[in-house]
Amino acid sequence: MVAFLGILMALTAFLFIPPSPAAAETTDDGQEVTEFYFAGVVTFDDQPVEGVVMSIDGKGFKGETETDADGKWRLYVPDKATYTLTVDEESLPDGVIVDASQLPPGTQPIAGTTASFEVEFGLTGTKIMNLFLGEGERMTVSFIDQLLSRLVGGINFGLLLALASMGAALIYGTTRLSNFAHAEMVTWGGLVALVVTSFWHLPLWLGIAAAVIGGGLLGWGLDAGIWRPLRRRGLGVVQLMIVSIGLSLALRYTFQYIIGGGTRQLPGASPTPIQFGPISLSYIDIIAMSVSIVVIVAVAFFLTRTRIGKATRAISDNPQLAAASGIDVDRVVRYVWILSGVLAAISGILWAYFRPGVKWDMGMQMLLLIFAAITLGGLGTAFGALLGSLIVGIAVEVSTLWIPSDLKYASALVVLIVILLVRPQGLLGRRERLG
């Protein structure tokens, strides 16, 4: 009966998915028309320049266009966020570059280049950027400098991914549940912080504290209200997984109902980056990496030095033997869900600044990467999830040196397949756990 209810819940949530929108309007050069765009005119000696190739990149999106006979161009983007605007210098007249001294406000040139710029919107969804050309020597970023920059970005992404992955790995290790609703636990952290700071206009530190506490409460509530009763009724892992899919859909569209379908920014998002040689980092990136490292060290201490942590590892290895040894399995699992909720909430806040922005389905964008990191590191081991997350994060960012940014997340799955072909149990997994 419970299995039937779980399946019914999944189907009900599926039926309430909003219908697909009508085909979007497109421009003559194939761009999908949205409410957000960058536009302007390119001129040289007060004359428009035709045929200049302009491209935009950011948040996994990439678009391209050319200036028309009047030097005008327009690039549509899906969300209001920070992007990288690049002028193809091969399409400019010889000996001519973009005059950086006449860039519009809010436009930051990327160090070491004369053709790439960090651009962001103001209060509206449009940004007018008139670019003036002048004589000058073109500069490019070397491959080594790009590699170093991507490596640091990959470590930053891998660390925030590790927080979510370690929590999901602990849940799998103690309950054998592949929790598809873990994506919504990540979204929950960013959502609570957004509500407290933007809706209630309270300080950011209160929003972060509320998100962390809310994450723990969500983990506790899910276990107490759903997973523990289902475990006691003896549901199998496949049935529990189906319930988690239904729960994921229900939570996701509840979040959409609360904040709408757009992207909202947390306070202080998209700050001006600081240059450390070829590496560009904002103060938020530095804080995010520091927080991630501190939290990961704290989780490692919890798992290796505390009684509950050691009991968690014992249950992950052999739940029947752990129960026979006098360990209260339900109590330990409850603590694991609380810890997982806290880690997911912290990861959600950091993810909201990394993207940047809070969106109703932002956790879903991480879900496959979370599962890839857990599988890569070894099912059920938190330290394996940490190692897998770092590999996935670095692979995602570094791969953009060779492949389009739209395909960068697929590179993590390629790495997963290659490693599993060599070591099927994962990097830190044990062979006997597989069968």
Side-chain angles (χ1 to χ4, degrees):
M1 181 64 181
V2 175
F4 173 78
L5 290 176
I7 296 173
L8 182 61
M9 181 179 179
L11 292 175
T12 302
F14 175 81
L15 290 174
F16 279 96
I17 296 177
S20 300
E25 180 184 355
T26 58
T27 61
D28 292 339
D29 56 0
Q31 297 186 71
E32 180 180 333
V33 177
T34 69
E35 58 182 314
F36 307 108
Y37 63 84
F38 296 93
V41 179
V42 178
T43 58
F44 177 51
D45 286 343
D46 295 328
Q47 297 296 319
V49 182
E50 182 182 3
V52 178
V53 179
M54 315 281 293
S55 62
I56 199 82
D57 189 3
K59 294 183 59 184
F61 171 81
K62 190 171 184 178
E64 186 176 282
T65 190
E66 291 185 8
T67 56
D68 61 16
D70 297 322
K72 296 181 180 180
W73 60 274
R74 179 176 293 188
L75 282 167
Y76 290 94
V77 294
D79 293 305
K80 188 176 181 180
T82 300
Y83 295 88
T84 299
L85 176 69
T86 301
V87 179
D88 184 0
E89 293 184 315
E90 296 298 324
S91 64
L92 299 179
D94 292 338
V96 172
I97 62 173
V98 178
D99 188 350
S101 65
Q102 300 190 57
L103 289 176
T107 306
Q108 298 293 329
I110 296 177
T113 71
T114 53
S116 294
F117 314 94
E118 293 289 340
V119 294
E120 60 182 346
F121 292 96
L123 296 178
T124 66
T126 62
K127 177 76 173 183
I128 304 301
M129 297 184 53
N130 295 323
L131 301 179
F132 302 91
L133 306 182
E135 296 182 357
E137 182 180 355
R138 298 174 182 176
M139 298 173 60
T140 57
V141 180
S142 69
F143 176 81
I144 297 299
D145 289 347
Q146 293 183 62
L147 179 60
L148 288 174
S149 178
R150 298 291 199 282
L151 281 173
V152 174
I155 292 172
N156 184 16
F157 179 51
L159 287 173
L160 74 88
L161 180 65
L163 296 178
S165 299
M166 292 175 74
L170 289 173
I171 289 175
Y172 180 85
T174 53
T175 66
R176 295 299 183 265
L177 169 65
S178 298
N179 182 26
F180 281 79
H182 201 78
E184 281 58 55
M185 296 174 71
V186 172
T187 305
W188 174 253
L191 180 64
V192 173
L194 176 71
V195 170
V196 172
T197 57
S198 298
F199 292 10
W200 298 348
H201 305 290
L202 295 176
L204 178 61
W205 68 269
L206 275 179
I208 295 174
V212 173
I213 296 172
L217 290 175
L218 178 63
W220 174 84
L222 290 177
D223 184 57
I226 299 176
W227 304 118
R228 185 182 180 185
L230 293 181
R231 286 197 307 272
R232 289 192 167 185
R233 291 179 178 271
L235 264 70
V237 291
V238 175
Q239 295 163 310
L240 292 174
M241 184 182 68
I242 292 173
V243 173
S244 77
I245 294 172
L247 177 63
S248 171
L249 291 169
L251 289 175
R252 197 183 318 158
Y253 289 104
T254 299
F255 295 160
Q256 185 187 32
Y257 176 79
I258 295 174
I259 66 173
T263 299
R264 298 172 180 265
Q265 302 297 328
L266 291 177
S270 303
T272 302
I274 305 170
Q275 292 298 138
F276 300 92
I279 299 171
S280 178
L281 291 173
S282 69
Y283 76 93
I284 290 180
D285 294 327
I286 298 172
I287 293 174
M289 287 191 285
S290 301
V291 169
S292 298
I293 292 172
V294 170
V295 173
I296 289 170
V297 170
V299 172
F301 178 85
F302 167 78
L303 291 175
T304 59
R305 294 289 186 270
T306 66
R307 291 182 61 186
I308 296 177
K310 293 177 181 179
T312 300
R313 294 166 61 198
I315 294 172
S316 181
D317 286 335
N318 193 322
Q320 290 78 20
L321 181 59
S325 301
I327 296 176
D328 188 342
V329 175
D330 279 339
R331 178 169 170 266
V332 173
V333 169
R334 180 67 52 82
Y335 285 131
V336 166
W337 273 98
I338 294 173
L339 175 61
S340 180
V342 169
L343 293 176
I346 297 174
S347 179
I349 297 171
L350 300 182
W351 180 230
Y353 278 109
F354 186 87
R355 296 181 65 242
V358 177
K359 194 176 180 182
W360 61 280
D361 63 344
M362 70 179 198
M364 194 63 188
Q365 299 169 8
M366 289 178 63
L367 185 62
L368 285 180
L369 298 180
I370 290 172
F371 286 159
I374 294 172
T375 308
L376 181 60
L379 294 174
T381 164
F383 298 115
L386 169 60
L387 180 59
S389 296
L390 290 174
I391 293 175
V392 167
I394 292 173
V396 164
E397 293 297 319
V398 172
S399 65
T400 57
L401 292 173
W402 299 282
I403 65 175
S405 58
D406 290 346
L407 298 176
K408 65 181 183 179
Y409 293 128
S411 64
L413 302 181
V414 173
V415 172
L416 171 66
I417 293 170
V418 170
I419 292 181
L420 291 183
L421 286 173
V422 178
R423 189 175 173 82
Q425 68 270 33
L427 294 175
L428 300 184
R430 298 190 304 184
R431 189 174 297 274
E432 59 265 27
R433 285 183 176 175
L434 294 180

